Amino acid sequence: MKIRSGLVLMLALGLGSAGCAAGGAGGPTTAAPTRTAPGAEVLRQGERPRQTENTRAAQRHLDAAEDADDPAEAKMHYEQALAAAEAGIAEDATNPLPYRQAALAALGLEDYQKAGEYFDKAAELRPIYEFEDAGLRERAWIDLYQKAIPLVEGGDYEAAAKVFEDANAIYDDRPEAMVTLAQIYAQLREHDKALEMADRALEIINSDRAAEMDSATVAGWQEQAAELPMLKAMVLADAGRLEEAAEAFRAIVAEHPEDLLVRRNLAGVLIQLGRTDEAFQVYEELLQQPDLTAADYYTVGVGFYNGDAYDRAADAFRKSAELNVKDRDALEMWTRSLQLDSAYAAIPEAAERWIELDPYSQSAHLIYAQAANQLGDEDKTSELVQKIEAMPIDVRDLQITRYSTGGARVTGSVVNKKLEEGKTITLVFTFYTPEGEPMGTVETDVTLAAEDMSTVFAVDFNSTEQVGGYAY
């Protein structure tokens, strides 16, 4: 399953793509970083390893696998080593040696889950093994981490997750794979797994383990740790655990009061909880901040709209449309807010801009006609009603998703009003910068359903630039 890197979670907050997996700060190097192990020399020895016919056979096959030039031959020896080691475990479950041999054989077979389990059991019986095998396990972790990087960069998140899971199984004393897994699980909406991985990563980052790592690695860990509270808050919100999400967002706001995006998310959660007074207070505080973006105003508008404060919603959507002049979605919400607020005199300006970008929207024309009627403008009312009656199609449900890396997708539906079933029409979409400059066009063919039935469509616009608005 491939997921576009621009996928966003609830509250329109992008997760970004894969954090450290792109090889930036905090990513592993090709060699394991220098570590110290204070007190390793006094680790309890535990159970004494004991040689048996099974452990001797396992060792012979492990040695033969290491010496084999043919991968198939090596695989055969690893399989026989694993069988002999497991026979040794069955023979004496308190002997740590066959567990370690089974771990090495499973590692050679690339069964990292089983290898991790056997390494852990061997170390449980003989703690010195944990220290002796740490380097081997960490090198396997690094190899797997690097194997997952191109999968993440290619958006194949499910395949990457499997590799990161194997990395954690073989070695769970580093947080980088856990951080990336938390992000992947969040994108896949596996909420419990995402929260578990985030907590495990934070536990390592905030533990004494950092004292054993080099300064560059520690700096990368700290950078990752700073992002995890936001990730957890978003996952809680997306999971519907809204009280916990609100608490998490409030904690981030207290620590980072300048972060407008966190305030937007907090207010959105409060709206969903029905705590509109608290949410409106957050929005009002947000509106006092300088240099708000069109997206900031739009999100505030949605919050006020969902809280039935239509006058304040209309003002926020208007300001969004002033900054992003071809934002059809903002213009629609501005117009609808004015209608719900019975602010009929202000509707013509907003509705005309909406219709200019969305000429086959029956809703846009109908809201405008109702406002004109309320204002006593009979000629305009008649003109709009005639346009509605003459429309061959009705374009509905338009919505734009802007990608953080550039480009956008528009989805919607077309209702057949007067045309022959099966007829194909072509919609030509133009995409604009926030200032209203055209960026390019995309055509899409839509085959019409029966009369009064709808056909859904999606249009993708590829660009390295951020998209402001669109029209068709």
Side-chain angles (χ1 to χ4, degrees):
M1 176 180 180
K2 293 190 70 175
I3 302 176
R4 187 183 175 103
S5 60
L7 182 69
V8 293
L9 284 182
M10 176 186 181
L11 307 177
L13 182 57
L15 278 179
S17 60
C20 66
T29 56
T30 54
T34 302
R35 296 179 51 177
T36 61
E41 68 280 0
V42 296
L43 279 175
R44 180 172 61 84
Q45 294 292 311
E47 291 283 344
R48 179 179 60 84
R50 300 176 291 281
Q51 291 284 1
T52 67
E53 286 301 316
N54 285 315
T55 62
R56 292 188 185 95
Q59 192 59 52
R60 285 196 301 271
H61 285 296
L62 285 172
D63 293 340
E66 289 295 312
D67 293 337
D69 293 327
D70 180 12
E73 181 184 353
K75 182 175 183 290
M76 177 193 68
H77 283 297
Y78 280 129
E79 289 172 343
Q80 293 178 340
L82 181 59
E86 288 179 334
I89 292 169
E91 178 184 32
D92 182 0
T94 67
N95 186 356
L97 180 57
Y99 288 102
R100 192 186 199 196
Q101 292 173 325
L104 293 169
L107 186 60
L109 293 169
E110 298 183 356
D111 188 341
Y112 300 102
Q113 301 289 330
K114 181 176 288 187
E117 291 172 5
Y118 279 133
F119 272 126
D120 289 344
K121 183 61 178 179
E124 178 186 326
L125 293 170
R126 185 170 175 79
I128 192 68
Y129 279 168
E130 181 175 2
F131 173 64
E132 293 176 353
D133 293 333
L136 173 65
R137 298 180 73 172
E138 189 170 13
R139 283 193 295 274
W141 179 93
I142 289 173
D143 289 341
L144 288 166
Y145 193 102
Q146 293 178 333
K147 178 182 177 181
I149 288 174
L151 296 173
V152 173
E153 292 175 340
D156 195 351
Y157 287 7
E158 289 182 336
K162 178 62 172 68
V163 179
F164 283 128
E165 287 163 357
D166 284 343
N168 285 335
I170 199 65
Y171 188 74
D172 62 358
D173 279 347
R174 292 186 61 154
E176 294 95 334
M178 297 174 188
V179 171
T180 311
L181 264 177
Q183 295 171 324
I184 290 173
Y185 288 144
Q187 297 251 24
L188 298 175
R189 304 193 72 195
E190 297 188 43
H191 304 117
D192 290 341
K193 287 184 177 181
L195 294 169
E196 178 191 356
M197 282 296 118
D199 285 338
R200 286 177 60 186
L202 285 169
E203 183 178 354
I204 295 172
I205 293 169
N206 296 325
S207 73
D208 293 338
R209 180 66 64 186
E212 304 174 25
M213 310 303 291
D214 62 86
S215 59
T217 299
V218 172
W221 288 7
Q222 292 171 344
E223 182 178 343
Q224 291 176 323
E227 300 299 324
L228 288 175
M230 174 64 86
L231 175 64
K232 291 182 62 178
M234 292 193 311
V235 170
L236 288 167
D238 194 46
R241 295 162 60 175
L242 300 179
E243 290 287 357
E244 295 173 82
E247 183 179 346
F249 281 125
R250 281 199 186 281
I252 301 171
V253 169
E255 189 171 350
H256 302 284
E258 77 290 348
D259 194 325
L260 303 184
L261 203 52
V262 181
R263 290 176 181 268
R264 284 166 43 182
N265 283 305
L266 170 59
V269 169
L270 292 172
I271 286 289
Q272 291 185 73
L273 285 168
R275 288 150 59 177
T276 54
D277 290 343
E278 292 179 59
F280 288 174
Q281 181 179 351
V282 174
Y283 284 134
E284 293 295 352
E285 292 172 357
L286 180 59
L287 289 172
Q288 301 307 310
Q289 302 297 314
D291 303 322
L292 294 183
T293 67
D296 291 327
Y297 283 118
Y298 187 90
T299 303
V300 170
V302 170
F304 282 137
Y305 188 95
N306 289 335
D308 299 336
Y310 300 118
D311 55 341
R312 286 185 278 184
D315 188 56
F317 287 127
R318 177 183 59 79
K319 290 177 179 177
S320 179
E322 287 175 352
L323 293 173
N324 193 354
V325 297
K326 297 288 188 180
D327 188 349
R328 191 219 68 91
D329 295 12
L331 291 168
E332 176 183 357
M333 294 306 297
W334 178 20
T335 307
R336 290 188 181 278
S337 299
L338 291 170
Q339 180 196 33
L340 290 169
D341 190 42
S342 301
Y344 301 115
I347 285 178
E349 177 189 359
E352 285 176 1
R353 289 180 59 186
W354 176 10
I355 291 170
E356 180 185 359
L357 304 178
D358 189 2
Y360 288 96
S361 169
Q362 181 172 300
S363 293
H365 287 80
L366 181 59
I367 293 172
Y368 192 0
Q370 291 170 342
N373 184 56
Q374 288 290 332
L375 295 170
D377 190 340
E378 295 181 1
D379 291 341
K380 192 64 179 180
T381 302
S382 177
E383 174 192 334
L384 290 164
V385 169
Q386 290 176 24
K387 285 185 177 180
I388 292 170
E389 292 175 346
M391 280 185 179
I393 60 171
D394 177 17
V395 177
R396 299 180 181 178
D397 309 317
L398 286 176
Q399 186 173 24
I400 186 171
T401 299
R402 300 174 180 85
Y403 298 124
S404 59
T405 53
R409 163 172 278 211
V410 171
T411 56
S413 64
V414 176
V415 176
N416 183 8
K417 304 301 293 183
K418 296 179 178 294
L419 301 177
E420 180 183 353
E421 180 181 357
K423 180 179 178 61
T424 298
I425 63 170
T426 301
L427 298 178
V428 181
F429 282 82
T430 301
F431 292 85
Y432 297 92
T433 65
E435 296 76 24
E437 296 297 323
M439 301 173 66
T441 61
V442 178
E443 295 184 4
T444 186
D445 291 333
V446 179
T447 301
L448 299 178
E451 189 170 330
D452 293 329
M453 301 297 290
S454 64
T455 304
V456 298
F457 66 86
V459 176
D460 289 302
F461 177 65
N462 297 317
S463 175
T464 58
E465 299 179 56
Q466 293 293 308
V467 172
Y470 65 100
Y472 67 89

